[in-house]
Amino acid sequence: MSSVLTPNFVHCAFLDQVVSVRPGLMRNVLYPSGKACYVVKGAVSLDSTDSNEAESATPVVDTHEQLLQQQAVANQVKHMVEQVQALHFKRAVVPGSEGIFGSVSVDDIVQALKEQGVELEKATVNLDSKIKQLGKHNVEITLADQSTVSLTVNVDAE
């Protein structure tokens, strides 16, 4: 099934790129969330040179304007994340070790940022595995314009 992705997807595709996705993913996830739209057979291509066909086609938002808007939002989020400086979590400690009971996951980081006024999707937080040790940990956040911001996560004992 062919679909056109609307936002940029890390390691997948770029804006307005036609890609092939599984029908269930398109039907249940991408289309309802507005992240992709269906490609209609026989529809006018975006780079058509015939003016009559272009007028009869549905209007398409200028991708340059979308790119500028996306960069502005990314800069705003980057500025907000840089103001946060560090996130602090308190966890119970395993006696005689640096390990903690439980862990700090992507959900915890996104929730802590949300409490400080920064709204992010979980997919933007680059965390290889859950944090299960005390101390300072660096977490990378990938923004919409593919730039990254580093955030410090401190895990302290209760």
Side-chain angles (χ1 to χ4, degrees), residues 32-51:
S33 65
K35 294 182 179 180
C37 60
Y38 289 99
V39 173
V40 179
K41 291 182 180 179
V44 177
S45 65
L46 297 176
D47 54 1
S48 176
T49 56
D50 189 6
S51 62

Side-chain angles (χ1 to χ4, degrees), residues 10-68:
V10 179
H11 306 298
C12 292
F14 294 104
L15 183 67
D16 292 334
Q17 184 177 359
V18 178
V19 295
S20 179
V21 296
R22 295 184 319 256
L25 177 66
M26 182 65 181
R27 178 182 61 244
N28 298 328
V29 178
L30 297 176
Y31 185 73
S33 65
K35 294 182 179 180
C37 60
Y38 289 99
V39 173
V40 179
K41 291 182 180 179
V44 177
S45 65
L46 297 176
D47 54 1
S48 176
T49 56
D50 189 6
S51 62
N52 292 336
E53 287 181 6
E55 291 174 1
S56 65
T58 57
V60 177
V61 179
D62 187 17
T63 57
H64 181 68
E65 290 176 12
Q66 285 180 341
L67 197 64
L68 290 176

